[in-house]
Structure formats: C-alpha cells, structure tokens
Amino acid sequence: MTETRMELRSHFLVAPSKSQTEQLYLSMLHNYFVYIMTNEYRTTLYIGITNNIQRRIAQHYFDSQNAKKSFAGKYNCIYLVYYEGFEKPNEAIAREKVLKNWRREKKNKLITEFNPKWETLNSQII
C-alpha cells in the first residue's frame, strides 16, 4: 500500500512552493482529474473524478440550481477548492478512493496546503 501511495504521490502536481498559475498550467497537461468541491460555508466536501473539469463544474452548478438530484447539487457543492491531474484514469480512480477514505481533518489539511485560503478556483480553470 505504501508503494502505491508513493507512486500516486509522484503524480501529485502541486508542491507548496508553486504559484497557482504554475499549478494550473501543470494540471492542464493531464487528462484526468481528482477534484474537491465545497459549499459556500465550506462545511460539505464532494470528491470526484473527471476528464473535463470545466464541464463537471458546470454540471454541479446546474444541478444545484435545478434538480438537486446529485450529492453535490443537493448540498450546493459548487466551489472548486482542490484538484490534481493524472495521465491515466486508473490513477485518478485510485487517488479518489484514497481521499474518500480520509477523515475530514486530513482532507482539510490537503486543501489548505494546496489552497491556503480555500479560495474558489472555478474561474482559474481554463
């Protein structure tokens, strides 16, 4: 399990010393994303994977305003606060499973290291 985690970490794009612009550029080189969305008050987290992060953000927003059928829509998780990119879908799926099994405190720490002020990153995704 440690070897897998180490391998997945090698695909983790964000080093704390990089600017968000550098992070964005590096992540756009990848085809699959693990991302974390939250609500306005940062009380609920949604973790997902996608191959088109802009489209997925739009889908979450649409569902929050309309049908509210999905978890993200029901809890208004429409603010992107974290993402990482992967070349292969199985890598993204494995990372998503790892993150979903973490306790909330550990997820909060991951987000804070990536995005210290928990700023909404929706507009930074090209």
Side-chain angles (χ1 to χ4, degrees):
M1 187 158 170
T2 305
E3 289 180 346
T4 304
R5 188 173 283 180
M6 293 291 286
E7 181 179 314
L8 290 173
R9 286 197 176 254
S10 71
H11 293 286
F12 185 69
L13 295 172
V14 182
S17 62
K18 291 190 171 126
S19 72
Q20 286 189 343
T21 304
E22 289 173 304
Q23 294 168 9
L24 177 64
Y25 174 74
L26 289 173
S27 70
M28 293 299 125
L29 298 175
H30 296 282
N31 298 322
Y32 301 93
F33 300 90
V34 172
Y35 63 95
I36 301 177
M37 305 286 287
T38 191
N39 61 350
E40 180 180 2
Y41 302 105
R42 307 320 195 229
T43 55
T44 305
L45 297 178
Y46 173 84
I47 299 173
I49 63 168
T50 185
N51 65 348
N52 186 327
I53 201 162
Q54 300 106 327
R55 181 187 69 220
R56 197 68 182 110
I57 291 169
Q59 289 170 340
H60 287 304
Y61 180 78
F62 180 83
D63 193 44
S64 75
Q65 301 298 306
N66 296 287
K68 296 189 181 274
K69 291 183 179 179
S70 69
F71 177 90
K74 186 176 181 181
Y75 293 96
N76 296 311
C77 294
I78 59 172
Y79 303 100
L80 179 70
V81 291
Y82 177 85
Y83 60 90
E84 47 183 290
F86 298 86
E87 293 178 17
K88 298 176 183 174
N90 59 325
E91 295 169 344
I93 291 166
R95 180 66 170 162
E96 177 196 31
K97 288 179 181 180
V98 167
L99 295 181
K100 283 187 173 184
N101 285 317
W102 284 4
R103 297 177 72 74
R104 175 65 190 248
E105 297 81 18
K106 195 168 180 180
K107 293 173 189 175
N108 288 352
K109 184 178 180 206
L110 177 71
I111 295 166
T112 301
E113 287 172 356
F114 178 83
N115 181 0
K117 296 180 182 177
W118 285 54
E119 296 173 316
T120 299
L121 305 175
N122 299 37
S123 63
Q124 295 182 14
I125 301 299
I126 299 171

